[in-house]
C-alpha cells in the first residue's frame, strides 16, 4: 500500500536550505579569485586558465542551484516570508557568482598583467571585497534560526547586526577601491592605455562584487521587515 | 423480532469482525497521522512512538471513548423510529462498518487522504436516509457533526497559533532561550497533564462506574498534572546545553528541551485519537450488540459494555502493530521541517481540540484537526514552508468520502436485508 499521507504532504520542502547552498556556492566561486589573482600576478597563465575554468564551473553550478530553488517555489507555497523578496534575494546572490566569472573571464581573455606597484593593494582590495560576501553567507545561515523564532526577537537582532557588518565591510571595500584607483593612476602612464582602461574596469568589477554582497544583505533585511 | 432472536449470535459475531476490521484500519492509517509528527520531529524514535501509541490509544479508547461512541451509536439515527423494526438498525450498522472499512482500505491503497470519521458518519447517514427514511436521520445532530469538521481544524489552528506565539514570546525570542525553555516547558507539560485528566475524569469514567463531580475532577486533574510536571522536570534535569550544537544561537539545545515536551504531547495525541476515533469502529458495534442483547428492544439507555471499547482499542493496536509502524516510519522520515518546538505546538493544539470534542461526544476528524493545527503554526511564521495545495486535496477527499461511504453502506444495507430477509 502507498503511504501517501495528507498531513505529511503539507510540509513543502524548505526553500531556505537551498538558498544557503546557493550563496555558499556563489561565495565559493568568488573566493577562487584569490588564487586566480595570485596566478595572474605570477604570470602563470596556464594555472590562471585552470582556475578560471574552475570559477566558470562553480558559477554554472550556482546557476543550476538557482533554477532548483525557483522550481521549488511553486505557487501554492505557504512561506513565512514574501515569495518575491525571496526570489529577489536569490537573484542578488547569483550576481556575486556572475561578477566573479566576469572578472576572471576578462582578465584571462586579455591576459592582463597587474603592474607590480599596485599588486599588494589589489590583493588587499580583493580580500576586503570578498569578506563582504563571506559575511553575507553567514547572515544567510542565520535564516534557519529565524524560522524557528518566527522572524522576531533576539535572533533578528543578531542577523541585523550581521547585515550592518556587511554594510561596514562594503564601505571598507569602497575605501580600498578609491586607494586602488589612485595607485593605478600614479602608474597608468607607464601602461598601455587600453590595459590601463581595463584595469580600471577590473577595479570596478571587484567593487561590484562587494556591492552585490551588500545588496544580498539589504534584501535579507527586507525579509525581516514586517 | 424473530430475525434478531434467530440470528442474534451470528449478527453479533459479524459485527465484532467488521468492527475489528474497521478499528484495524483506524490503527493502520490514522495513528500514523497522530504519531508521525512526533517521529518526524525526531523527538521520539519509532519504537517509542509505537509503544506510546499502544498504551495511550488503548487508554483513550477505554477511558474517554464512551461519549463519541454513544453519539455514533444513537445520536445520528433516531432510535425511537426503529422500535418496530430493530433488525434494520442492525443491518444498517453492519453495512456502515463494512462500507467504511472497505472505503478506508481502497483509499489507503490509492493514497487518498480520507478521514475515518467522515467515512463512518457518511455511511450511517447514507443507509439511514435511503434504507429507512430521511426522517430517521437526526439532521440536527448531523449538521452539528458536519459543522464541527470545519470548526475543529479552525479551533486547533487558533490554539496552535497562540501556543507557538507564546513559545516564541517566552522562549525563542529571548536572550537566553535555553534557560527560558527549561523554565517554561514544565508549565506546558502541566497543561498537557491537566487537559487529559480533566476530560477523562469529567466525561470518560462514567461507564466504568466512576462519576465524579466537576470540583473533584478538577482537583484530581491538578494533582495528576502536577505529577506529570514533576516527571517532566526530572527528565529535563538530564538535558544540558551543549556548546558543540549551538554556534551563535542556542536552538539545538533548546529543541532537546522541547523533545521532552513532545513526548508528553505525543501521549496526549495518542490518547485523544483513541478517545475520538475508536468510536468510529465500536459505535456501530455497540448499537448491534445493544439491540441483540435486549432481544430486539431498541433501547435508549443501555450501558456501554466495556468489552466493546476494549475490542476497539485492541483492533487499533493490532492495526498499528501490523501495518501502522510502516506508515509512521515512512512519513516520519519525510518531514524535515518539523522541529520539536513546532511539532509540539501543532500536536498539543490538535490533541486539546480532539480531547474536548471527545468529551462533548462530537466525532471530529483527527487528521483534519491536525492539519488545521499545522497551518496555525505556519501562520505564526513558525514553519519555513507549507504546501497549501494539499488543503485542496484534503477538501476534495472529504467531499468524496461522504457520498462514497454512503453509497457503499446503502449497497451493503440492501444486501444484508436480502440475506436475512
Amino acid at each position: 500500500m502507498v503511504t501517501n499521507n495528507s498531513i505529511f504532504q503539507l510540509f513543502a520542502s524548505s526553500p531556505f536550505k537551498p538558498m544557503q547552498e546557493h550563496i555558499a556556492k556563489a561565495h565559493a566561486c568568488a573566493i577562487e579569485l584569490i588564487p586566480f589573482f595570485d596566478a595572474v600576478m605570477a604570470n602563470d597563465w596556464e594555472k590562471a586558465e585552470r582556475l578560471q575554468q574552475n570559477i566558470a564551473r562553480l558559477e554554472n553550478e550556482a546557476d543550476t542551484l538557482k533554477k532548483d530553488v525557483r522550481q521549488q517555489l511553486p505557487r501554492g507555497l505557504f512561506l513565512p516570508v514574501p515569495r518575491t523578496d525571496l526570489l529577489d534575494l536569490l537573484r542578488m546572490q547569483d550576481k556575486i557568482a556572475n561578477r566573479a566569472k566576469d572578472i576572471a573571464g576578462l582578465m584571462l581573455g586579455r591576459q592582463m598583467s597587474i603592474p607590480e606597484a599596485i599588486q599588494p593593494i589589489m590583493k588587499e582590495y580583493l580580500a576586503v571585497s570578498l569578506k563582504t560576501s563571506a559575511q553575507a553567507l553567514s547572515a544567510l545561515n542565520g535564516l534557519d534560526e529565524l524560522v524557528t523564532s518566527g522572524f522576531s526577537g533576539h535572533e533578528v537582532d543578531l542577523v541585523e547586526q550581521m547585515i550592518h557588518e556587511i554594510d561596514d565591510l562594503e564601505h571598507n571595500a569602497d575605501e580600498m577601491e578609491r586607494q586602488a584607483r589612485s595607485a593605478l593612476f600614479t602608474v597608468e602612464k607607464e601602461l598601455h592605455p587600453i590595459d590601463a582602461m581595463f584595469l580600471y574596469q577590473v577595479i570596478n568589477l571587484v567593487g561590484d562584487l562587494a556591492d552585490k554582497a551588500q545588496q544580498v544583505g539589504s534584501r535579507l533585511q527586507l525579509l525581516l521587515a514586517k | 423480532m424473530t430475525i434478531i432472536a434467530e440470528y442474534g449470535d451470528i449478527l453479533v459475531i459479524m459485527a465484532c469482525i467488521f468492527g475489528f476490521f474497521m478499528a484495524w484500519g483506524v490503527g493502520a492509517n490514522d495513528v500514523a497521522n497522530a504519531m508521525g509528527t512526533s517521529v518526524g520531529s525526531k523527538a521520539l524514535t519509532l519504537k517509542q512512538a509505537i509503544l506510546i501509541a499502544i498504551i495511550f490509544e488503548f487508554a483513550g479508547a477505554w477511558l474517554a471513548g464512551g461519549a463519541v461512541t454513544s453519539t455514533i451509536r444513537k445520536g445520528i439515527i433516531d432510535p425511537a423510529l426503529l422500535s418496530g423494526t430493530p433488525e434494520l438498525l442492525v443491518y444498517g450498522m453492519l453495512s456502515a462498518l463494512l462500507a467504511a472499512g472497505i472505503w478506508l482500505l481502497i483509499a489507503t491503497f490509492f493514497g487518498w487522504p480520507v478521514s475515518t470519521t467522515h467515512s463512518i458518519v457518511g455511511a450511517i447517514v447514507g443507509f439511514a436516509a435511503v434504507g429507512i427514511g430521511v426522517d430517521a436521520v437526526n439532521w440536527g445532530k448531523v449538521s452539528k457533526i458536519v459543522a464541527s469538521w470545519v470548526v475543529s481544524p479552525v479551533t486547533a489552528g487558533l490554539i496552535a497559533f497562540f501556543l507557538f506565539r507564546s513559545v516564541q514570546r517566552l522562549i525563542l525570542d529571548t536572550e537566553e532561550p535555553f534557560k527560558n525553555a527549561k523554565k517554561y516547558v514544565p508549565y506546558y507539560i502541566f497543561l498537557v497533564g491537566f487537559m487529559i485528566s480533566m476530560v477523562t475524569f469529567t466525561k470518560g469514567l462514567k461507564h466504568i462506574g466512576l462519576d465524579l463531580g466537576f470540583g473533584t475532577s478538577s482537583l484530581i486533574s491538578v494533582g495528576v498534572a502536577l505529577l506529570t510536571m514533576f516527571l517532566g522536570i526530572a527528565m529535563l534535569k538530564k538535558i544540558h546545553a551543549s556548546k558543540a550544537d549551538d554556534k551563535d544561537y542556542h536552538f539545538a539545545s533548546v529543541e532537546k528541551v522541547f523533545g521532552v515536551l513532545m513526548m508528553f504531547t505525543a501521549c496526549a495525541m495518542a490518547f485523544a485519537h483513541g478517545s475520538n476515533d475508536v468510536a468510529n469502529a465500536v459505535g456501530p458495534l455497540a448499537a448491534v450488540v445493544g439491540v441483540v442483547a435486549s432481544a430486539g428492544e431498541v433501547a435508549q439507555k443501555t450501558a456501554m459494555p466495556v468489552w466493546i471499547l476494549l475490542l476497539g482499542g485492541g483492533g487499533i493496536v493490532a492495526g498499528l502493530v501490523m501495518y501502522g509502524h510502516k506508515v509512521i516510519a515512512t512519513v516520519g522520515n519525510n518531514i524535515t521541517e518539523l522541529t520539536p518546538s513546532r511539532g509540539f505546538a501543532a500536536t498539543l493544539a490538535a490533541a486539546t481540540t480532539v480531547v474536548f470534542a471527545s468529551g462533548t461526544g462530537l466525532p471530529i476528524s483527527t487528521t483534519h484537526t491536525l492539519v488545521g493545527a499545522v497551518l496555525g503554526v505556519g501562520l505564526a511564521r513558525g514553519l519555513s514552508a507549507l504546501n497549501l495545495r494539499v488543503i485542496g486535496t484534503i477538501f476534495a477527499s472529504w467531499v468524496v468520502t461522504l457520498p462514497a461511504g454512503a453509497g457503499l453502506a446503502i449497497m451493503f444495507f440492501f444486501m444484508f436485508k436480502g440475506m436475512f430477509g
Side-chain angles (χ1 to χ4, degrees):
Chain A
M1 278 196 248
V2 200
T3 54
N4 202 354
N5 220 299
S6 55
I7 291 182
F8 306 103
Q9 290 172 345
L10 197 60
F11 296 91
S13 54
S14 164
F16 294 123
K17 256 273 124 55
M19 288 290 282
Q20 289 163 350
E21 273 168 29
H22 178 263
I23 197 168
K25 189 64 84 179
H27 179 65
C29 179
I31 211 95
E32 280 292 286
L33 284 175
I34 290 178
F36 177 78
F37 266 57
D38 285 343
V40 168
M41 286 173 189
N43 270 319
D44 185 349
W45 291 107
E46 232 171 78
K47 192 178 175 195
E49 191 177 347
R50 265 206 324 277
L51 285 163
Q52 190 273 338
Q53 276 164 4
N54 199 27
I55 289 174
R57 182 180 56 83
L58 287 166
E59 195 271 345
N60 221 347
E61 285 173 14
D63 252 6
T64 315
L65 283 175
K66 179 184 73 180
K67 281 173 195 146
D68 287 351
V69 178
R70 284 181 178 162
Q71 277 172 344
Q72 271 196 29
L73 281 176
R75 281 243 161 262
L77 206 66
F78 189 86
L79 281 169
V81 294
R83 181 185 138 90
T84 43
D85 288 355
L86 209 59
L87 288 171
D88 219 24
L89 174 64
L90 181 68
R91 206 159 51 86
M92 286 306 147
Q93 291 180 181
D94 205 48
K95 281 194 174 162
I96 295 177
N98 285 345
R99 281 294 166 275
K101 190 184 159 192
D102 289 349
I103 294 169
L106 182 68
M107 291 181 82
L108 183 76
R110 289 190 43 83
Q111 300 229 330
M112 292 166 69
S113 55
I114 298 169
E116 219 155 289
I118 67 164
Q119 278 185 6
I121 191 148
M122 281 299 278
K123 263 178 131 167
E124 201 189 332
Y125 173 38
L126 180 68
V128 169
S129 184
L130 288 175
K131 257 192 200 164
T132 319
S133 67
Q135 182 70 12
L137 171 65
S138 13
L140 247 296
N141 284 336
L143 268 179
D144 275 349
E145 317 291 333
L146 287 171
V147 173
T148 308
S149 67
F151 293 86
S152 54
H154 182 55
E155 306 315 316
V156 170
D157 296 344
L158 285 178
V159 173
E160 272 184 342
Q161 208 179 319
M162 284 186 188
I163 294 170
H164 284 308
E165 272 166 43
I166 299 179
D167 287 349
D168 291 345
L169 287 166
E170 200 269 341
H171 286 309
N172 288 351
D174 269 358
E175 171 60 22
M176 289 299 300
E177 181 171 6
R178 207 182 50 75
Q179 287 178 23
R181 273 219 183 87
S182 67
L184 178 59
F185 179 68
T186 55
V187 295
E188 72 174 17
K189 289 189 181 64
E190 298 152 31
L191 299 170
H192 190 280
I194 297 183
D195 284 352
M197 245 180 68
F198 275 101
L199 270 173
Y200 278 115
Q201 201 183 339
V202 167
I203 290 175
N204 230 340
L205 284 172
V206 172
D208 217 26
L209 207 59
D211 261 4
K212 295 301 174 232
Q214 189 197 21
Q215 281 175 8
V216 167
S218 64
R219 293 305 190 281
L220 195 52
Q221 205 161 22
L222 276 181
L223 283 189
L224 303 185
K226 281 190 204 172
Chain B
M1 296 281 176
T2 47
I3 298 161
I4 302 283
E6 209 173 318
Y7 297 108
D9 289 344
I10 298 174
L11 290 172
V12 168
I13 289 167
M14 276 171 73
C16 284
I17 294 170
F18 294 164
F20 195 82
F21 170 55
M22 177 76 190
W24 188 91
V26 171
N29 299 286
D30 247 25
V31 178
N33 291 342
M35 301 305 293
T37 46
S38 318
V39 181
S41 65
K42 307 268 184 296
L44 294 178
T45 64
L46 184 58
K47 265 188 191 160
Q48 285 170 326
I50 287 175
L51 206 69
I52 284 178
I54 289 174
I55 296 169
F56 283 87
E57 288 275 346
F58 200 78
W62 183 34
L63 297 175
V68 185
T69 306
S70 103
T71 301
I72 296 266
R73 172 185 159 205
K74 55 189 184 188
I76 298 174
I77 303 171
D78 191 354
L81 279 176
L82 288 174
S83 50
T85 48
E87 69 274 11
L88 291 187
L89 184 69
V90 174
Y91 302 152
M93 286 301 180
L94 283 177
S95 48
L97 276 179
L98 198 58
I102 286 175
W103 175 243
L104 213 59
L105 211 62
I106 295 172
T108 311
F109 185 77
F110 287 108
W112 300 329
V114 303
S115 156
T116 48
T117 308
H118 296 174
S119 324
I120 198 77
V121 172
I124 292 177
V125 171
F127 91 77
V130 175
I132 302 170
V134 181
D135 292 340
V137 180
N138 184 349
W139 292 107
K141 189 85 186 178
V142 170
S143 55
K144 235 191 225 167
I145 293 171
V146 171
S148 77
W149 291 341
V150 180
V151 173
S152 60
V154 173
T155 311
L158 279 175
I159 297 176
F161 180 87
F162 287 110
L163 258 182
F164 194 71
R165 270 290 145 96
S166 78
V167 171
Q168 285 174 339
R169 183 72 47 87
L170 294 174
I171 298 169
L172 298 175
D173 289 357
T174 54
E175 297 277 338
E176 288 179 309
F178 182 73
K179 207 178 130 205
N180 284 324
K182 280 200 139 182
K183 188 169 148 197
Y184 289 112
V185 162
Y187 294 107
Y188 288 115
I189 296 176
F190 179 87
L191 206 67
V192 174
F194 182 75
M195 184 196 74
I196 291 191
S197 49
M198 193 64 192
V199 169
T200 311
F201 285 113
T202 50
K203 302 280 182 185
L205 293 182
K206 275 176 197 152
H207 67 89
I208 51 174
L210 220 76
D211 199 356
L212 301 163
F214 189 80
T216 335
S217 301
S218 324
L219 268 177
I220 298 174
S221 298
V222 169
V224 173
L226 280 174
L227 276 179
T228 325
M229 189 170 86
F230 290 137
L231 179 68
I233 291 173
M235 288 167 80
L236 287 177
K237 280 226 173 86
K238 290 184 198 141
I239 296 171
H240 300 286
S242 119
K243 285 222 167 66
D245 289 348
D246 276 358
K247 294 192 284 176
D248 292 349
Y249 310 100
H250 322 276
F251 289 139
S253 300
V254 172
E255 290 299 349
K256 282 189 198 155
V257 178
F258 276 106
V260 172
L261 179 54
M262 191 78 194
M263 284 184 199
F264 287 94
T265 47
C267 298
M269 191 67 215
F271 186 89
H273 182 261
S275 72
N276 204 283
D277 283 38
V278 75
N280 298 333
V282 305
L285 169 59
V288 173
V289 171
V291 170
V292 175
S294 58
E297 201 80 20
V298 183
Q300 301 249 21
K301 281 202 178 170
T302 41
M304 178 75 194
V306 174
W307 67 265
I308 291 179
L309 286 173
L310 292 178
L311 183 92
I316 288 185
V317 169
L320 174 69
V321 170
M322 285 164 71
Y323 181 70
H325 72 278
K326 282 189 208 151
V327 185
I328 299 180
T330 331
V331 295
N333 290 332
N334 286 343
I335 315 177
T336 50
E337 283 313 296
L338 211 61
T339 56
S341 66
R342 310 167 195 179
F344 127 78
T347 319
L348 181 56
T352 309
T353 312
V354 176
V355 152
F356 279 97
S358 300
T360 49
L362 273 178
I364 65 174
S365 165
T366 316
T367 313
H368 292 186
T369 307
L370 196 53
V371 169
V374 167
L375 282 180
V377 178
L379 276 176
R381 305 228 273 179
L383 286 164
S384 53
L386 287 175
N387 203 341
L388 277 190
R389 276 177 305 180
V390 174
I391 302 294
T393 325
I394 291 169
F395 188 74
S397 78
W398 179 42
V399 171
V400 172
T401 294
L402 290 172
L408 283 171
I410 292 164
M411 206 180 79
F412 289 126
F413 178 73
F414 286 112
M415 192 182 88
F416 284 126
K417 211 173 160 185
M419 272 163 64
F420 290 99

